Amino acid sequence: MIVWRLSRYTELQGIGGLHASGRWHEKGHPIVYAAAERLSPDSPVLANEHESRRFGTAWLTEKRSAVLLVPSVIIPVETNILINPGHPDAAGVSMIEATESVFDDRLFSRPL
């Protein structure tokens, strides 16, 4: 499976999850968020953010699988991929290529 990821990190250790909670986990758990398509690198969502965070944290701590496919919040017909670096099978997940991307500042500004 090939997945896409926008990140400051070139490793798949999930260290960002140690520092902040996300849609699918609570702070303190390593996790890697990725997207099935290059154009949808957003955080996934269920109906309730608290519910999805609780579910994802349980998935991480119970090490149910190395990879979990979840729905995208930005593009509901798309799929995002969560990678659990703590799962034994995560050793089989590798990065093919890391490239630097330049983004237009307007993507990060608030509308007037």
Side-chain angles (χ1 to χ4, degrees):
M1 171 186 284
I2 294 177
V3 301
W4 300 94
R5 176 169 156 74
L6 294 178
S7 175
R8 294 185 186 113
Y9 306 104
T10 57
E11 312 86 29
L12 297 175
Q13 297 172 352
I15 56 178
L18 297 173
H19 305 290
S21 294
R23 179 71 63 185
W24 287 94
H25 79 288
E26 295 173 358
K27 179 180 174 179
H29 297 274
I31 187 170
V32 177
Y33 285 76
E37 299 293 330
R38 181 176 268 189
L39 298 177
S40 60
D42 59 290
S43 297
V45 68
L46 278 178
N48 178 307
E49 184 172 344
H50 177 71
E51 180 182 317
S52 61
R53 186 174 288 158
R54 200 173 69 232
F55 175 85
T57 300
W59 169 76
L60 287 166
T61 58
E62 294 170 12
K63 299 180 180 172
R64 295 180 194 166
S65 62
V67 176
L68 179 66
L69 294 120
V70 295
S72 165
V73 66
I74 304 292
I75 307 170
V77 296
E78 293 295 340
T79 300
N80 288 323
I81 295 92
L82 306 178
I83 302 168
N84 184 351
H87 191 279
D89 292 341
V93 178
S94 62
M95 185 178 307
I96 295 172
E97 178 183 9
T99 60
E100 189 168 326
S101 298
V102 178
F103 297 97
D104 189 311
D105 289 337
R106 293 173 291 180
L107 290 172
F108 306 103
S109 63
R110 294 179 180 225
L112 298 175

